[in-house]
Amino acid sequence: MTKETYVVDMSRGPNVKLRPVPVGAVRIRGGFWRERMTAGVAGVHTALGKLEKSGALDNFRIAAGRKKGTFRGPCFMDSDVYKWLDAASMTLMTERNPALEAQMNEAIEIIAEAQEKDGYLNTYCQLGAYGPRWRDIRSAHEFYCAGHLFQAAVAHCRATGSESLLNVACRFADYLCETFHEGGTACAPGHPEVEMALVELYRQTGRKRYLALARFLIDCRGTDRSQCKRDLYCQDHLPVREQTHAIGHAVRDMYLRCGMTDVYAEEKDENLMAALRTVWKDMVHRRTYIHGALGSRYAGEAFGDPYELPNLRAYAESCAQIGGTMWSWRMLAIEAEARYADLMETQLYNSILSGVSLDGERYFYQNPLESIRDRERQEWLGCACCPTNLMRTIASVPGYLASTSDEGVFVHLYADAQIDWHLASGKPLELDIATDYPWSGDVEIVLGEHTAGTFGLFLRIPGWCRSAAVTVNGKQIEEASRSGGYLRLVRDWRPGDRVGLSLKMPVEVVQANPRLREAFGCVALKRGPIVYCFEEPDNPGVELPDLRLPLRPEAPGEGFEPAFRADLLGGVTVLEGKGRVPERPDGDRPLYAAFRAEEEAWKPVRVCAIPYYAWANRGPAHMKVWLPWVAVT
Amino acid sequence: MTKETYVVDMSRGPNVKLRPVPVGAVRIRGGFWRERMTAGVAGVHTALGKLEKSGALDNFRIAAGRKKGTFRGPCFMDSDVYKWLDAASMTLMTERNPALEAQMNEAIEIIAEAQEKDGYLNTYCQLGAYGPRWRDIRSAHEFYCAGHLFQAAVAHCRATGSESLLNVACRFADYLCETFHEGGTACAPGHPEVEMALVELYRQTGRKRYLALARFLIDCRGTDRSQCKRDLYCQDHLPVREQTHAIGHAVRDMYLRCGMTDVYAEEKDENLMAALRTVWKDMVHRRTYIHGALGSRYAGEAFGDPYELPNLRAYAESCAQIGGTMWSWRMLAIEAEARYADLMETQLYNSILSGVSLDGERYFYQNPLESIRDRERQEWLGCACCPTNLMRTIASVPGYLASTSDEGVFVHLYADAQIDWHLASGKPLELDIATDYPWSGDVEIVLGEHTAGTFGLFLRIPGWCRSAAVTVNGKQIEEASRSGGYLRLVRDWRPGDRVGLSLKMPVEVVQANPRLREAFGCVALKRGPIVYCFEEPDNPGVELPDLRLPLRPEAPGEGFEPAFRADLLGGVTVLEGKGRVPERPDGDRPLYAAFRAEEEAWKPVRVCAIPYYAWANRGPAHMKVWLPWVAVT
């Protein structure tokens, strides 16, 4: 295995401040992410059977002439196979797995056979389920599937060194270059994805034509050359440099921003970057759920109006927050600002992880903030974009932990891990990171035996943290400087140097902007990066839809105590405290009535909150994140 | 004109307590509804041009062989023409109009020519835009269009005495009877409508086969014979007698309940009626907006979960609350319970009337409870179900004012009107009703010169009214009995007897059930049947999204004073009072933050609320119905 198993290889982009540390250079030894990754690998293994059942692999077999039949599934069905290969490749970056590799090679063989002589590859079109190629660039997902092929091919090559899938990808990419940009045909794909994939294919192969095509497709967007009918849904309403809001279909929006950021990383274009900063701020300040989810509307799977963030009817598609993390990772590399890692952390620990069951085998498409016993994860989905996306995201977590820069090393996310890489100078970089994060805010970093010299160690102080202390070799550092949200420790480091970071992690009671209507008069509980929810199994006898949290306004968090429960949901820290419910259930009252002051007859109840990501692992149940509060003295 | 211009002729249904008073027997002389009806007639006149522009009439011309061309519009386009004829007929019930009748006759002539020899009539199918007849009973709206044809035909015959359209309807209805029920073919139409129309056609013609087909279609629903795939969206998930919730597409749900109620009215079936009562209660207690609107979800134009009633994203389709009023009118006739009239009144004065501009020329499909300058009524709609539905509903208001029973006469809605009809006994009934309702709660009813004898006068005491007083010939009646929400005055009446009803109409501050998330911590203002909103033009300089209402919990309504403004919006009573906005706008604050007690720095502002129905007549503007309140002493 090549060690340069980048998730996104921004290591040479001229406009990039932070260079990635590859997945293969990071060993997550234990703790939180080790368990999630193990479950993820289990999911990758069983997914192949699900792809067979859905017909996704058969579509390729039929196109390859190995089998008779007709196309099955939605128009983007090919991408399920590509994304599975992508996810499987990512898991190989951490650990080789000959059985899995054999399965992958067989799939790649079928895919290669299905490819047309001129490089075109899309079984939906090839099997006649659609019409001529490129008949409907807005809806038919040919570019989208191509993008996922390219990403899978790059990941497969990086993980295994094999070019079997990369050759398929390049043949198709060459065909695309010749047909569109170089061939004089303009368009903007209805579902962005190919743009970032083309840039990555350029990074892997060095072929500039792929980067040029990516830029061309981005430049066509929102112009008369796009064929997307100036449609908001596809972010085609305006040229990309004039766009100011996260808008339309949320996954499309996020994938488009990834492609734009990737193009910027490789070719300076300040108007592009200015638009990206504006959209990112709009998204985070007005259209992001507390658990990091994006895209609140069922209609059009879309970003809503500002502050339109319903709880029960949250769409909050797993793929949207995955797209958000992919985009923020790119922004982080360019700007070295911790706010991007803050969003990634919120998404990874909460609304991404909630997309998959604790055993790694069942998936959520939507990730609402409330349930009325109406939700269960599914083994697979008719529109199966999320499962494989979740798999590849969880497998890529090691690649998100750290970066290097000209000044030293940045640690973004804290996990129990060993990093064995090098600084930009080429000098060895070995970090041993020990932590029980996210259940504890204490992190110890020990420098390896070959790690020495003057460089900066940049430790992210998470946005949620209001008090952090740092020691070097046991000595408190009083005046460590900060840079873009990172604590900056520059010194002449010696092997065995120990850095202790202590992030104070009290229970936080959070309130939303009053304009966020469904959280008005409510609070949510957080501790560290973890967003909590109240779920029925932990609160027997409590009518959750009616639950209020009594708070002392001067000390709102004091009523809740964290407790680690090794036996619960794979081991989680719960929050235990007091609640109250009305003597007369809300459901027995009229829908509308003359105003009167607050209900006075309350029943006190004991309540217990669990991490949001772990909900819905015990059957359908009531669940709530935001709860009304009542003042007590 | 025949005087028996019933909107729905339940005058002979064996299971009906209340018999309708026809539109032609009620003259709305002046006041609120006179103005709304005048605007409605203006809309009927200009609609013909809009139907020409949309291609709806041309579709018939092409099917009739008068013109060449292809089908235009959605599959249910024919219904636009039928509903226009229905609405136009309803206006003729109040006032003949030769120019309009000539236009109608021309349309009817084209329709008749377009009809196939065997009675089938649906230009979408006839013009080849679809495939063979009945290929897709779930989606293609053939039955739906047939239903609107039948309703238009009955209304046209009642209004004019002409059977020209009735003959077309009966030919098609006979074909349907022969093809489906009698022909042994089972189905349930995807969009209910034909069921109630068939019952009405039976009532008009006396042909029992139409009633039998209606019952058959209702009985097929939710069974394996339905072809609707057991789909919630079409209320096909369960047999109708087992259904307990308002569910799925809201207009379909309401139209289905109308058909069920009509069948019950004619043929006793207590299981049917029990299901209807259960669904109605579920709807009113958990799924109805404060302004009476129904169906909160954009996705599927559907009823939401219990208490799922968002403000900005309210779907609240005009046709859904029209369907709700149509259904409640039927339930009222059967049960003589004022709660049904309460819902009708709420809908008519608020979320139905809001569907049309004050000049009668522009229409809303959705009727949200909040706007961020993103809404304007449209001259016509691509899916133009609402405009003609609004026209026919407003034109039918005179028919909803009163009913007779074996005991006497019921007055449901108060308007400045003369009623000239007869009691069930056949004795003359002349009532002269003078009122400035809904701006005043004072009503005077004077008995006409031929009205005498012992009978009951039942006056509805609206659900909103907490204090009512009644006089007869100036003398206070202390102990008038109540029956189903009606004040019951039985005596030996004499011509010229004067009954005075005084409904106390203070400003009411309303709060919602705490489970209604988007109204949590908020109040809305009502006065009488009118729901108020705050709109930007009446509140210059006030940032409406941030507005709070300061209330004294012991006397919440005292801060708002009603004032009639003849110059405003056609003459409305506004509510004037105090509000406050935060010194620092909510929009400048973060999306999420650590909890702290309520903002203390407020700016006091003067605010003015207008009737909800009158909003959006002055261009796009901020608008809100529910506002957060803050306690003051």
Side-chain angles (χ1 to χ4, degrees):
Chain A
M1 170 168 47
T2 162
K3 221 179 163 193
E4 304 203 345
T5 52
Y6 298 109
V7 176
V8 186
D9 182 6
M10 299 175 88
S11 61
R12 283 155 299 163
N15 304 318
V16 168
K17 281 192 187 140
L18 302 183
R19 316 286 164 182
V21 174
V23 176
V26 178
R27 192 166 76 84
I28 294 193
R29 220 171 7 197
F32 188 90
W33 282 111
R34 179 70 261 151
E35 295 196 25
R36 294 303 98 227
M37 287 172 70
T38 302
V41 172
V44 169
H45 273 278
T46 51
L48 190 65
K50 297 170 182 176
L51 290 170
E52 286 291 11
K53 204 170 149 192
S54 75
L57 277 159
D58 273 348
N59 288 338
F60 285 100
R61 289 196 186 95
I62 299 164
R66 289 192 183 193
K67 201 168 175 169
K68 294 237 173 291
T70 52
F71 182 87
R72 279 170 62 198
C75 62
F76 45 83
M77 191 77 154
D78 289 359
S79 67
D80 292 354
V81 178
Y82 299 145
K83 283 163 82 178
W84 175 74
L85 285 167
D86 197 358
S89 300
M90 298 266 182
T91 71
L92 298 181
M93 293 179 183
T94 288
E95 195 164 19
R96 296 305 289 256
N97 184 327
L100 183 60
E101 285 175 63
Q103 291 175 331
M104 292 165 69
N105 287 336
E106 200 192 310
I108 291 168
E109 203 175 284
I110 304 169
I111 291 166
E113 277 182 41
Q115 187 168 33
E116 302 277 340
K117 283 214 178 69
D118 63 359
Y120 181 87
L121 179 54
N122 184 291
T123 72
Y124 177 59
C125 176
Q126 290 170 269
L127 301 187
Y130 160 58
R133 297 175 187 180
W134 317 116
R135 182 178 64 78
D136 182 2
I137 287 171
R138 181 175 173 280
S139 304
H141 288 69
E142 286 160 287
F143 273 111
Y144 172 85
C145 291
H148 279 299
L149 167 64
F150 302 166
Q151 288 183 323
V154 169
H156 181 250
C157 179
R158 287 177 185 162
T160 66
S162 158
E163 297 193 345
S164 57
L165 193 58
L166 193 69
N167 289 335
V168 175
C170 289
R171 285 179 59 206
F172 195 4
D174 289 334
Y175 162 88
L176 289 180
C177 291
E178 287 152 22
T179 306
F180 291 92
H181 181 207
E182 299 165 14
T185 309
C187 78
H191 195 316
E193 153 68 23
V194 76
E195 300 83 354
M196 67 173 132
L198 281 165
V199 177
E200 206 61 30
L201 198 60
Y202 152 72
R203 289 170 179 153
Q204 184 65 21
T205 62
R207 296 186 202 166
K208 286 224 160 186
R209 68 195 307 199
Y210 304 153
L211 176 60
L213 177 59
R215 170 181 285 280
F216 177 74
L217 297 178
I218 283 167
D219 289 346
C220 288
R221 201 153 212 96
T223 71
D224 296 336
R225 302 182 295 164
S226 84
Q227 304 170 33
C228 283
K229 305 181 198 159
R230 292 299 185 105
D231 188 354
L232 272 177
Y233 173 74
C234 308
Q235 299 78 42
D236 196 57
H237 55 304
L238 284 172
V240 295
R241 288 166 191 76
E242 296 168 31
Q243 296 189 16
T244 53
H245 302 314
I247 206 158
H249 188 279
V251 179
R252 293 173 198 234
D253 188 294
M254 291 300 94
Y255 284 16
L256 173 62
R257 307 308 162 193
C258 286
M260 289 165 66
T261 314
D262 275 331
V263 166
Y264 173 82
E266 304 300 327
E267 294 186 351
K268 212 170 190 75
D269 176 344
E270 290 309 330
N271 290 333
L272 203 54
M273 195 59 202
L276 288 164
R277 278 191 208 101
T278 303
V279 172
W280 197 89
K281 275 185 196 155
D282 167 74
M283 175 177 83
V284 169
H285 293 152
R286 307 199 298 171
R287 301 178 215 253
T288 302
Y289 278 103
I290 187 173
H291 62 341
L294 305 171
S296 57
R297 277 190 195 169
Y298 271 70
E301 310 188 307
F303 280 105
D305 285 317
Y307 309 103
E308 182 191 327
L309 297 164
N311 297 324
L312 192 63
R313 286 291 285 175
Y315 199 71
E317 183 185 341
S318 301
C319 287
Q321 36 270 23
I322 288 171
T325 279
M326 286 161 51
W327 179 28
S328 291
W329 176 244
R330 288 157 170 81
M331 295 294 278
L332 176 62
I334 288 166
E335 303 217 302
E337 297 278 351
R339 61 170 172 268
Y340 300 112
D342 283 344
L343 180 61
M344 293 177 64
E345 186 179 69
T346 300
Q347 292 173 329
L348 285 167
Y349 278 104
N350 300 291
S351 55
I352 289 176
L353 218 41
S354 60
V356 58
S357 60
L358 292 174
D359 65 4
E361 304 277 8
R362 297 169 70 89
Y363 307 93
F364 267 146
Y365 199 100
Q366 289 103 17
N367 297 274
L369 284 82
E370 181 175 356
S371 155
I372 46 171
R373 301 187 183 136
D374 58 345
R375 301 286 179 152
E376 279 198 282
R377 291 185 190 83
Q378 304 297 314
E379 283 193 9
W380 205 244
L381 304 161
C383 172
C385 51
C386 299
T388 45
N389 226 357
L390 288 159
M391 290 172 207
R392 67 175 182 157
T393 303
I394 290 168
S396 60
V397 162
Y400 291 148
L401 254 52
S403 306
T404 59
S405 78
D406 292 345
E407 296 179 84
V409 58
F410 282 67
V411 183
H412 310 299
L413 302 177
Y414 299 105
D416 197 71
Q418 286 174 307
I419 294 176
D420 181 7
W421 189 236
H422 53 75
L423 292 164
S425 61
K427 288 190 184 168
L429 174 73
E430 304 150 315
L431 301 178
D432 186 302
I433 307 174
T435 183
D436 198 27
Y437 200 90
W439 311 128
S440 155
D442 294 332
V443 181
E444 190 180 57
I445 302 174
V446 181
L447 273 61
E449 56 178 326
H450 305 104
T451 305
T454 300
F455 63 88
L457 177 60
F458 294 78
L459 301 176
R460 174 173 153 264
I461 307 302
W464 56 258
C465 180
R466 288 191 281 177
S467 169
V470 68
T471 60
V472 176
N473 297 326
K475 241 176 67 185
Q476 192 88 25
I477 306 294
E478 294 299 343
E479 291 289 322
S481 65
R482 298 249 195 146
S483 165
Y486 290 83
L487 197 75
R488 185 169 170 274
L489 300 172
V490 184
R491 53 190 290 153
D492 188 10
W493 297 101
R494 295 289 141 207
D497 276 354
R498 290 174 177 270
V499 177
L501 177 66
S502 178
L503 305 167
K504 211 172 158 191
M505 199 182 263
V507 177
E508 287 279 358
V509 177
V510 178
Q511 65 186 8
N513 190 298
R515 290 192 179 181
L516 200 172
R517 288 163 198 86
E518 289 215 4
F520 190 79
C522 294
V523 293
L525 302 180
K526 281 187 73 179
R527 183 170 174 271
I530 299 289
V531 174
Y532 281 78
C533 70
F534 291 84
E535 198 187 17
E536 211 169 353
D538 311 297
N539 298 281
V542 177
E543 182 70 1
L544 280 183
D546 292 359
L547 180 63
R548 272 77 155 177
L549 295 187
L551 299 183
R552 250 186 1 109
E554 317 82 62
E558 70 177 8
F560 278 86
E561 288 301 325
F564 186 75
R565 296 262 304 274
D567 56 323
L568 187 70
L569 298 164
V572 293
T573 294
V574 301
L575 305 180
E576 294 171 331
K578 289 180 198 164
R580 53 170 65 173
V581 293
E583 290 277 1
R584 182 186 174 199
D586 291 333
D588 293 351
R589 302 179 202 211
L591 187 46
Y592 305 106
F595 176 89
R596 61 194 184 103
E598 188 63 43
E599 174 74 29
E600 275 155 45
W602 297 102
K603 276 190 295 194
V605 289
R606 294 291 307 173
V607 290
C608 174
I610 60 162
Y612 172 81
Y613 76 82
W615 88 281
N617 278 286
R618 295 167 292 182
H622 278 298
M623 183 278 289
K624 282 188 94 165
V625 170
W626 289 107
L627 293 165
W629 66 278
V630 283
V632 291
T633 48
Chain B
M1 169 170 45
T2 163
K3 220 180 166 191
E4 303 202 348
T5 52
Y6 297 110
V7 176
V8 187
D9 181 6
M10 299 175 90
S11 62
R12 283 155 300 162
N15 306 317
V16 167
K17 282 192 186 139
L18 302 183
R19 316 285 164 181
V21 173
V23 177
V26 179
R27 192 166 76 84
I28 294 192
R29 219 169 10 194
F32 188 89
W33 283 111
R34 180 70 262 151
E35 294 198 25
R36 293 304 98 226
M37 288 172 68
T38 302
V41 172
V44 168
H45 273 277
T46 51
L48 189 66
K50 297 170 182 176
L51 289 170
E52 286 290 12
K53 205 169 149 191
S54 74
L57 277 159
D58 272 347
N59 288 337
F60 285 101
R61 287 195 187 95
I62 298 164
R66 289 192 183 193
K67 199 167 177 169
K68 295 235 173 293
T70 53
F71 182 87
R72 277 169 65 197
C75 62
F76 46 82
M77 191 76 156
D78 288 358
S79 68
D80 293 353
V81 178
Y82 300 145
K83 283 163 81 179
W84 175 75
L85 285 167
D86 196 358
S89 300
M90 298 265 181
T91 70
L92 298 182
M93 293 178 184
T94 289
E95 195 164 20
R96 297 303 292 255
N97 184 327
L100 183 61
E101 285 175 65
Q103 291 176 331
M104 291 164 70
N105 287 337
E106 198 191 313
I108 290 168
E109 203 176 285
I110 304 168
I111 291 166
E113 276 183 41
Q115 187 168 35
E116 301 277 339
K117 283 214 177 68
D118 63 0
Y120 181 88
L121 179 53
N122 184 291
T123 71
Y124 177 59
C125 177
Q126 290 170 270
L127 301 187
Y130 161 57
R133 296 176 188 179
W134 317 115
R135 182 177 65 77
D136 183 1
I137 287 172
R138 181 175 173 279
S139 303
H141 289 68
E142 287 159 287
F143 274 111
Y144 171 86
C145 291
H148 279 299
L149 167 63
F150 302 166
Q151 288 183 323
V154 169
H156 182 248
C157 179
R158 288 178 185 162
T160 65
S162 159
E163 297 193 346
S164 57
L165 193 57
L166 193 69
N167 290 335
V168 175
C170 289
R171 284 181 60 207
F172 195 4
D174 288 335
Y175 162 88
L176 290 180
C177 290
E178 286 150 23
T179 305
F180 291 92
H181 181 210
E182 299 165 14
T185 308
C187 78
H191 196 316
E193 154 66 22
V194 76
E195 300 83 354
M196 67 173 135
L198 281 165
V199 177
E200 206 60 32
L201 198 58
Y202 152 72
R203 289 170 178 153
Q204 184 66 21
T205 62
R207 295 184 202 168
K208 285 223 161 188
R209 69 194 307 198
Y210 302 153
L211 176 61
L213 178 58
R215 170 181 284 280
F216 178 74
L217 297 177
I218 283 169
D219 288 347
C220 288
R221 202 153 210 97
T223 71
D224 295 336
R225 302 182 295 164
S226 84
Q227 304 170 33
C228 282
K229 304 182 198 159
R230 291 297 186 105
D231 188 354
L232 271 177
Y233 173 74
C234 309
Q235 299 78 40
D236 196 55
H237 55 304
L238 283 173
V240 295
R241 288 166 191 77
E242 295 168 32
Q243 296 189 17
T244 52
H245 302 313
I247 206 158
H249 188 279
V251 179
R252 293 174 198 234
D253 189 294
M254 290 301 94
Y255 284 16
L256 173 62
R257 308 307 162 193
C258 286
M260 289 165 67
T261 314
D262 275 332
V263 166
Y264 173 83
E266 305 300 327
E267 294 186 350
K268 211 171 190 75
D269 177 343
E270 290 309 330
N271 291 333
L272 203 56
M273 195 59 201
L276 288 164
R277 278 191 206 101
T278 303
V279 172
W280 196 88
K281 274 184 197 157
D282 168 73
M283 174 178 84
V284 169
H285 294 151
R286 308 199 297 170
R287 302 178 213 255
T288 301
Y289 278 103
I290 188 173
H291 61 343
L294 305 172
S296 56
R297 278 190 194 168
Y298 272 70
E301 309 189 307
F303 279 106
D305 285 316
Y307 310 104
E308 182 190 328
L309 297 164
N311 298 325
L312 193 62
R313 285 292 284 175
Y315 199 72
E317 183 186 340
S318 301
C319 288
Q321 35 270 23
I322 288 172
T325 278
M326 285 161 53
W327 179 27
S328 291
W329 176 243
R330 287 158 171 80
M331 295 293 279
L332 176 63
I334 288 166
E335 304 218 301
E337 296 279 349
R339 62 170 172 268
Y340 299 113
D342 284 344
L343 181 61
M344 292 177 65
E345 184 178 74
T346 300
Q347 292 173 328
L348 285 167
Y349 277 105
N350 301 290
S351 55
I352 289 177
L353 218 42
S354 61
V356 56
S357 60
L358 292 174
D359 64 5
E361 303 277 8
R362 296 169 71 89
Y363 307 93
F364 267 145
Y365 198 100
Q366 289 103 18
N367 296 274
L369 284 83
E370 182 175 354
S371 155
I372 47 172
R373 300 184 183 140
D374 56 347
R375 303 284 179 155
E376 279 198 281
R377 292 186 190 82
Q378 304 298 312
E379 282 192 10
W380 205 243
L381 303 161
C383 171
C385 50
C386 298
T388 45
N389 226 356
L390 288 159
M391 290 172 206
R392 68 174 182 158
T393 303
I394 291 167
S396 61
V397 162
Y400 291 147
L401 254 53
S403 305
T404 60
S405 78
D406 292 346
E407 296 179 84
V409 58
F410 282 68
V411 182
H412 310 299
L413 303 177
Y414 299 106
D416 197 71
Q418 285 173 309
I419 293 177
D420 181 6
W421 188 236
H422 54 75
L423 291 165
S425 62
K427 287 189 182 168
L429 174 73
E430 303 151 316
L431 300 178
D432 186 300
I433 307 173
T435 181
D436 197 26
Y437 200 90
W439 310 128
S440 154
D442 295 330
V443 182
E444 190 180 58
I445 302 175
V446 181
L447 275 61
E449 55 178 328
H450 307 102
T451 304
T454 300
F455 64 87
L457 177 60
F458 294 79
L459 300 177
R460 173 171 154 265
I461 307 302
W464 55 259
C465 180
R466 290 191 281 178
S467 171
V470 67
T471 59
V472 176
N473 297 326
K475 240 176 67 187
Q476 192 88 24
I477 306 293
E478 293 298 344
E479 290 290 320
S481 66
R482 297 251 195 145
S483 166
Y486 289 83
L487 197 75
R488 184 168 170 273
L489 299 172
V490 184
R491 54 190 289 153
D492 187 12
W493 297 102
R494 295 287 141 210
D497 276 354
R498 290 174 176 271
V499 177
L501 176 66
S502 178
L503 305 167
K504 212 172 156 191
M505 199 181 264
V507 176
E508 287 280 357
V509 178
V510 178
Q511 65 185 6
N513 190 298
R515 290 192 179 181
L516 200 173
R517 287 164 198 85
E518 290 216 2
F520 191 80
C522 294
V523 293
L525 302 181
K526 281 186 73 178
R527 183 169 175 271
I530 298 289
V531 174
Y532 281 79
C533 71
F534 291 84
E535 198 187 16
E536 209 169 353
D538 311 296
N539 298 282
V542 177
E543 182 69 0
L544 280 184
D546 292 358
L547 180 62
R548 272 78 156 174
L549 296 188
L551 298 183
R552 249 189 0 113
E554 317 81 63
E558 71 177 10
F560 279 86
E561 289 301 325
F564 186 75
R565 295 263 305 273
D567 56 323
L568 187 69
L569 297 164
V572 292
T573 294
V574 301
L575 305 180
E576 294 171 331
K578 288 180 198 165
R580 53 170 64 173
V581 292
E583 290 277 2
R584 181 186 174 200
D586 292 332
D588 292 351
R589 302 179 202 211
L591 187 46
Y592 306 105
F595 177 89
R596 61 196 184 102
E598 188 64 43
E599 174 73 31
E600 275 153 46
W602 298 102
K603 277 190 294 194
V605 289
R606 293 293 306 174
V607 290
C608 173
I610 60 162
Y612 172 81
Y613 77 81
W615 87 281
N617 277 287
R618 294 167 292 183
H622 278 297
M623 182 278 290
K624 282 188 94 165
V625 170
W626 289 107
L627 292 166
W629 66 277
V630 283
V632 292
T633 49

